[in-house]
Each structure stands twice: as C-alpha cells, then as structure tokens.
Amino acid sequence: MSVSRIGLVVHGGRAEAVQAAHVVRAWCHEHTVRCKDIDVWNDGGRHSAREEMAAAGDPDLIVTLGGDGTFLRGARLAAAVDALVLGVDLGRVGFLTEVPAAGVRAALDAVGEDRMEVEQRMLLTMRSSRRLVVPSDMESLMRYGRGPLLPPPHVRTDCEAGHEWGIPLDVAALNDVVLEKLVRDRQVSVGVYLAGRLLASYSADALLVATPTGSTAYSFAAGGPVVSPRADAVIFTPVAPHMTFNRSVVAAPDEPVGLRVLERSGRAAISIDGQLRGVLDPGDWIGVYPAPRRLRAVRLGPMDFYGRLRERMHLTDAPAAIADGTPAPLWPVTTPPPRDLAHLAMPERPGLGPGDRTR
C-alpha cells in the first residue's frame, strides 16, 4: 500500500521508545511521508479519537512505540477512521505488538513496499440506557497522578435509538468492556443477560466482556479462558463473584451480553480498554456486542500466537517437562500436511523456505 501519513503514538516514559520514534521520523523524512505525533496528554485537553486523528491530518497508518497499553491507545485512534495500526514491541508482555524496536525501519519498508498482511481483529461496541458521563468530583480524583480522562463516548447518529434498546455509543474496544465496583467495601450487583435472556444475577468486584484479543488481558487474570485471536466469540467473565458459579461463558458473536445494575447495588464504573468512561446508577444497563467494523493490524508474517503464549507465560518451565526427562518436541511434524489437511492453519517453522511450510 502507499503510505502518505503516519500517526505516531509513543510511550514517552521509555527511552527506547523515544529513540525508536527518531527512527520513524527519519524514515518518514527520507520517503517524503508526513509524520505527526498524537498524544492526548500534550495539551491537557480531552479529545475523541476522530478529533485526534483529524488534528494529525488523518494518518492512514498509526505506529505505536511501547507495550500493549500504548498499542491500545493507537488502536482506539485507528479504529475510528479504519486506519492501519503497527505495534512496535517495547513492553513486557507483548501479545498485541508486532515487531521489536530493532526492526522498526525494516517494518516500515515492508509496509511501504506492500510486503505485509492485514489482520482483522474483533472490536466491541455497546449501547446504554443513558449516555456515559464521569461525575466531575470523580474525575478530579481519578486524574491524581495521571493524564486527563478520555471524553465520554459520543452517540452514534447512524443507528436507531429506542427506549428498550438504548442509546448507541461510538465505542470500539479491542480488549474489553468492564463494569466494576467504585468502593472497596461494596460489590456491584448485576443481572447478566446473554442473547436477551437472563443468565444469573451476580454480586462481584467486576464483570467484564472481552474479545478473543482481550482474553489474554484482564479476563485471563480473572481466570477466564485463552481464546485464539482468530476466533469470533464474546467472552463474559465475572471477577471475584460471591456465588458458586464463577466460570466464564464464551458466547457466539451474534449473542450480545447485557449487564443491568440491580436496585440494591452500589454505583458502577464502566471502563473501556482500561480507561474509565462513565458511571452507572442502579437501574442503568449496558449491552455489549461485536462492532460492525474491525481493527486492521499490520502483520509482517503469520502470527505464532501459541508460541508467543508459551513464551510469555513461561510454559516451558512446567514441572512435567522436567519430570518426564525428555521435553516435548517444539515442532511435532516436519513435513507438509497431506492434501486432506491442507486447509488447516499451521505456523511456519523457522529456517524453512516458503515452499516448506507445514501449512
């Protein structure tokens, strides 16, 4: 593809990210590509993703330099205008980012020469019984030691709004939408609906709805399943519920998850990809479901998600690997699959040419 404008999202607290940003700007100068830094904390104001992208000249590629949190900031921007996003890995976990800092110039060359793949990632959107607003007194508290909060989500004007179906909000969550308690000594009480039917009423610290991408984030920390980012599914996970049934539920993509704050509950906060975006009172509700659009992430080759999972979670250190004496082979097959298995997705083995892939 032809890249004419790049938006740069940099984790300014990391020296290696700042250095990598110099590399990106130099590449842009050499290739006569416009480059603009995007940072919601620069002027102390609060801007929607579309406002930030417009101020940056509507870049067609967002490059993030940092960890997964920085990538989520870039994804919010890219999803708003259907731009591409490329993540440069400078974090500790790195499930979302694509290339190491040392490979940023080569990655930009590959994008400029169209030697890349575009991976589609599910996004979540939502409706609410009312517009999301963060009370001013809470905003001042939440801003202590941090940058300004993101603005409340806009209402989508391209959707019908009805009393029972609520207000359509302009939201795009790559990881999750979380409803959580506001005070430590009081849980939230929530009725949870799947596909329009009551599943159960929960008292819990939080309840979250995640994408397959977000299954390795907060949902995973709360005991939820790991789901392939290639899957189409919606994952509901309760956090510290006071009930026997504490398992996640994996729903089909056309089965929305509704969360209604019950009458005797305390107030509840709504966070989208880790950012506080509103507060609900008893009687309020939200509905979470896949967005009609998807995030377009740059990939320079097939993603070995399970290899990354094994490395990031140190699964090679499992006791069974030692107890059995001989570790399990990293690659169980070394030859191309037979014709009846040619449709299966198998990762490319390192050191083999394109004609020798095991998929």
Side-chain angles (χ1 to χ4, degrees):
M1 66 168 289
S2 175
V3 177
S4 59
R5 300 173 301 279
I6 288 180
L8 200 54
V9 180
V10 184
H11 191 307
R14 292 182 177 169
E16 61 268 38
V18 175
Q19 181 60 40
H22 293 319
V23 176
V24 175
R25 297 188 191 101
W27 185 92
C28 289
H29 179 73
E30 295 168 10
H31 293 80
T32 62
V33 172
R34 286 180 288 173
C35 182
K36 176 73 173 179
D37 284 67
I38 308 176
D39 193 334
V40 297
W41 287 282
N42 270 344
D43 59 7
R46 305 192 307 171
H47 308 286
S48 71
R50 284 185 173 82
E51 289 170 338
E52 291 178 45
M53 291 293 278
D58 289 322
D60 41 36
L61 173 67
I62 297 294
V63 177
T64 72
L65 304 171
D68 282 357
T70 308
F71 185 89
L72 287 173
R73 288 173 52 201
R76 182 179 70 90
L77 300 170
V81 296
D82 199 33
L84 291 172
V85 59
L86 170 67
V88 178
D89 184 13
L90 295 161
R92 300 178 183 86
V93 180
F95 274 102
L96 300 177
T97 48
E98 169 69 3
V99 297
V104 63
R105 176 176 286 273
L108 292 172
D109 287 338
V111 173
E113 298 166 7
D114 204 20
R115 293 183 288 105
M116 64 172 188
E117 299 176 5
V118 177
E119 183 179 66
Q120 306 278 343
R121 289 287 183 103
M122 176 190 286
L123 298 167
L124 295 175
T125 190
M126 58 185 289
R127 286 183 175 238
S128 177
S129 56
R130 62 179 174 85
R131 297 192 65 166
L132 296 183
V133 176
V134 178
S136 57
D137 55 343
M138 180 179 297
E139 182 173 349
S140 61
L141 176 64
M142 293 298 297
R143 285 187 60 176
Y144 180 76
R146 304 179 63 180
L149 299 179
L150 294 173
H154 292 302
V155 175
R156 291 183 59 187
T157 57
D158 60 329
C159 299
E160 295 181 20
H163 175 67
E164 283 192 332
W165 292 96
I167 299 171
L169 299 179
D170 190 11
V171 164
L174 177 60
N175 267 357
D176 48 43
V177 174
V178 180
L179 187 152
E180 55 193 327
K181 66 181 184 180
L182 282 177
V183 293
R184 184 177 182 183
D185 63 347
R186 187 168 189 179
Q187 293 188 313
V188 289
S189 297
V190 179
V192 177
Y193 297 78
L194 275 97
R197 187 177 180 87
L198 179 67
L199 172 70
S201 294
Y202 290 80
S203 287
D205 284 357
L207 302 122
L208 63 90
V209 184
T211 64
T213 296
S215 71
T216 53
Y218 190 6
S219 179
F220 176 82
V226 174
V227 180
S228 168
R230 298 180 57 196
D232 274 353
V234 178
I235 303 134
F236 162 72
T237 301
V239 181
H242 275 224
M243 59 188 300
T244 302
F245 185 75
N246 60 356
R247 303 305 178 92
S248 297
V249 177
V250 180
D254 59 351
E255 296 176 331
V257 180
L259 305 174
R260 181 182 295 274
V261 184
L262 300 180
E263 179 183 353
R264 295 184 180 277
S265 173
R267 302 174 81 190
I270 294 293
S271 296
I272 300 169
D273 281 346
Q275 298 292 323
L276 177 65
R277 303 299 296 275
V279 174
L280 297 182
D281 291 316
D284 293 332
W285 59 264
I286 61 171
V288 184
Y289 49 93
R293 65 185 184 276
R294 297 190 173 224
L295 180 72
R296 300 196 301 142
V298 172
R299 294 295 177 201
L300 304 182
M303 180 183 178
D304 184 9
F305 170 72
Y306 300 106
R308 185 171 295 188
L309 178 67
R310 185 189 66 251
E311 294 170 358
R312 296 296 191 270
M313 300 301 172
H314 304 289
L315 301 183
T316 53
D317 297 334
I322 301 174
D324 289 347
T326 302
L330 190 59
W331 303 96
V333 294
T334 59
T335 57
R339 284 183 298 176
D340 61 309
L341 300 180
H343 65 287
L344 299 180
M346 302 290 285
E348 180 179 331
R349 291 185 60 206
L352 296 183
D356 297 321
R357 292 182 183 181
T358 59
R359 68 169 190 166

